């Protein structure tokens, strides 16, 4: 979704979620070990904000070592930005609210204006001049990459991907509202490179972090992304 322009403040609230030990006790279990579901694979990305009104937080990518009964280890972490409207439960999200949907989602494929970082194993779709992401609720291509833009997808209701040279240098498609799209729930939710401020609903990270994530992600490990808050009704541990 189109990135917004909200100033960035990096929160330290997620340190406990990453397993940082409190001063008076042992460290908690790693965040994925405390989640209701991690998608069934051995890789996971968590995107955590302090609360639903936040526009910043932390993205961490994790590996599960030792098979299905193994332990989770953080492979990397970076400051994250969320929607200028904060976060909201994904199943109740409304399109156009600039909110980031919470929940657990797969990551269908990657794309970018720039070439994939060396070592990227994910399917990586290059952005061309005629590459669009349709957000038109009336279109048969709703919440889909379109190349070229179909006649039933109005240009005012679609993203011309190549015009976002910073944000879409590299990106991963987040499987929110993707397999069976619900109209008016939202389209074009990605994990992408930071723009000037908060996003219009996506999750963004610094460019080098995005490149590291793409080199790390292995399709055979079935990586997912869990988006949520530190606590409350949208706590990332619920997903």
């Amino acid at each position: 979704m189109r990135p917004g322009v909200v100033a960035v403040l990096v929160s330290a609230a997620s340190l406990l979620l990453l397993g940082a030990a409190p001063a008076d006790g042992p460290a908690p279990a790693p965040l994925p070990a405390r989640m209701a579901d991690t998608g069934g694979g051995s890789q996971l990305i968590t995107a955590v904000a302090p609360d639903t009104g936040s526009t910043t937080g932390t993205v961490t990518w994790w590996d599960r070592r030792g098979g299905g009964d193994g332990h989770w280890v953080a492979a990397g972490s970076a400051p994250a930005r969320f929607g200028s409207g904060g976060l909201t439960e994904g199943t109740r999200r409304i399109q156009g609210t600039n909110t980031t949907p919470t929940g657990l989602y797969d990551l269908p494929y990657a794309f970018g204006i720039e070439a994939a970082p060396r070592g990227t194993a994910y399917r990586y779709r290059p952005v061309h001049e005629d590459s669009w992401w349709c957000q038109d609720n009336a279109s048969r291509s709703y919440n889909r990459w379109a190349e070229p833009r179909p006649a039933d997808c109005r240009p005012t209701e679609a993203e011309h991907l190549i015009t976002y040279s910073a944000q879409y240098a590299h990106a991963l498609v987040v499987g929110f509202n993707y397999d069976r799209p619900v109209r008016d729930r939202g389209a074009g939710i990605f994990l992408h490179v930071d723009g000037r401020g908060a996003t219009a609903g996506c999750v963004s990270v610094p460019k080098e972090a995005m490149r590291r994530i793409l080199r790390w992600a292995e399709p055979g490990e079935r990586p997912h992304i869990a988006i949520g808050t530190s606590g409350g009704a949208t706590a990332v541990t619920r997903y």
Side-chain angles (χ1 to χ4, degrees):
M1 300 188 77
R2 292 180 177 89
V5 287
V6 177
V8 178
L9 296 174
V10 177
S11 169
S14 58
L15 290 176
L16 288 177
L17 290 172
L18 300 182
D24 57 350
L31 176 57
R34 292 180 276 128
M35 292 176 58
D37 189 7
T38 58
S42 57
Q43 288 188 327
L44 178 70
I45 300 171
T46 55
V48 184
D51 53 59
T52 55
S54 300
T55 59
T56 60
T58 304
V59 159
T60 307
W61 48 107
W62 306 81
D63 291 302
R64 182 166 58 189
R65 298 177 180 172
D69 296 326
H71 61 284
W72 288 95
V73 177
S77 184
R81 303 176 186 177
F82 299 95
S84 61
L87 294 84
T88 192
E89 175 64 52
T91 57
R92 295 194 293 270
R93 185 179 185 272
I94 298 173
Q95 185 165 324
T97 55
N98 290 350
T99 52
T100 298
T102 62
L104 178 69
Y105 306 106
D106 64 353
L107 298 161
Y109 61 91
F111 69 90
I113 295 171
E114 298 182 13
R118 185 183 298 274
T120 298
Y122 240 73
R123 181 165 76 94
Y124 190 90
R125 190 166 187 175
V127 174
H128 301 125
E129 182 61 39
D130 60 350
S131 301
W132 296 75
W133 196 276
C134 184
Q135 300 177 5
D136 191 333
N137 280 280
S139 174
R140 289 172 294 178
S141 299
Y142 178 66
N143 202 19
R144 286 293 184 274
W145 181 295
E147 194 174 302
R149 179 180 55 81
D152 71 345
C153 183
R154 294 166 290 173
T156 55
E157 298 296 324
E159 283 194 352
H160 192 196
L161 298 177
I162 205 165
T163 63
Y164 297 94
S165 57
Q167 294 90 340
Y168 298 156
H170 307 293
L172 273 165
V173 175
V174 174
F176 165 74
N177 201 30
Y178 189 77
D179 289 337
R180 296 181 179 178
V182 176
R183 308 290 166 157
D184 292 310
R185 182 159 290 166
I189 299 296
F190 312 126
L191 173 62
H192 63 67
V193 175
D194 285 339
R196 291 181 293 170
T199 74
C202 296
V203 179
S204 73
V205 293
K207 186 175 184 179
E208 182 52 36
M210 192 68 230
R211 291 176 63 84
R212 288 176 62 196
I213 290 168
L214 288 173
R215 288 191 293 263
W216 159 85
E218 293 287 346
E221 305 299 333
R222 294 184 292 161
H224 284 66
I225 185 169
I227 304 170
T229 54
S230 300
T234 54
V236 72
T237 51
R238 288 184 53 235
Y239 303 113

